[in-house]
Amino acid sequence: DICRNAMVFLEVDHLLLGLEAILSDPEIVLGRVKNRLAFDYDPALSAGYRDVALNLCIRSPYTMELGVAGHVCELQLILKDFAELKNAEGHKRYVELRNARGE
């Protein structure tokens, strides 16, 4: 990802409110959603890491003027407890797991 950022929430209800605000913004064009908080998501696939990752574009007069309205960004919605676990060592293990699976 060229552009990735995260929003950290204290509780799931807060995360859902943030997601609703993003989805209701007319300048946000949603591409893909990876819901790693879903009950049927297997956390072994991400070494236990859980979040909601959104691939999105911001289409506004300003981004169109700049020529970046089609630029896809990743926004991670993450709970505070997981964010605190997300450190250099944890990310290193996740990358090793992905590489071992050939991703």
Side-chain angles (χ1 to χ4, degrees):
D1 300 313
I2 293 175
C3 176
R4 179 187 314 138
N5 214 324
M7 294 176 68
V8 179
F9 299 89
L10 294 176
E11 301 174 9
V12 172
D13 291 345
H14 299 160
L15 188 148
L16 290 173
L17 288 172
L19 179 60
E20 288 174 6
I22 292 165
L23 296 177
S24 68
D25 187 325
E27 293 183 342
I28 300 292
V29 179
L30 189 63
R32 180 175 70 171
V33 177
K34 285 186 191 176
N35 185 358
R36 289 185 276 248
L37 291 176
F39 289 113
D40 61 348
Y41 177 76
D42 180 2
L45 297 173
S46 58
Y49 179 74
R50 308 290 291 257
D51 70 0
V52 177
L54 309 174
N55 287 5
L56 55 88
C57 297
I58 300 172
R59 293 219 173 108
S60 68
Y62 184 65
T63 60
M64 287 182 204
E65 180 183 323
L66 292 175
V68 296
H71 179 81
V72 178
C73 304
E74 180 177 283
L75 179 60
Q76 299 169 345
L77 310 181
I78 183 170
L79 296 171
K80 183 176 183 269
D81 291 340
F82 283 106
E84 290 173 350
L85 295 172
K86 187 179 174 180
N87 56 36
E89 189 61 33
H91 184 70
K92 179 182 172 189
R93 286 194 306 270
Y94 173 66
V95 170
E96 288 171 356
L97 174 70
R98 282 184 21 185
N99 290 343
R101 291 194 317 234
E103 294 179 12

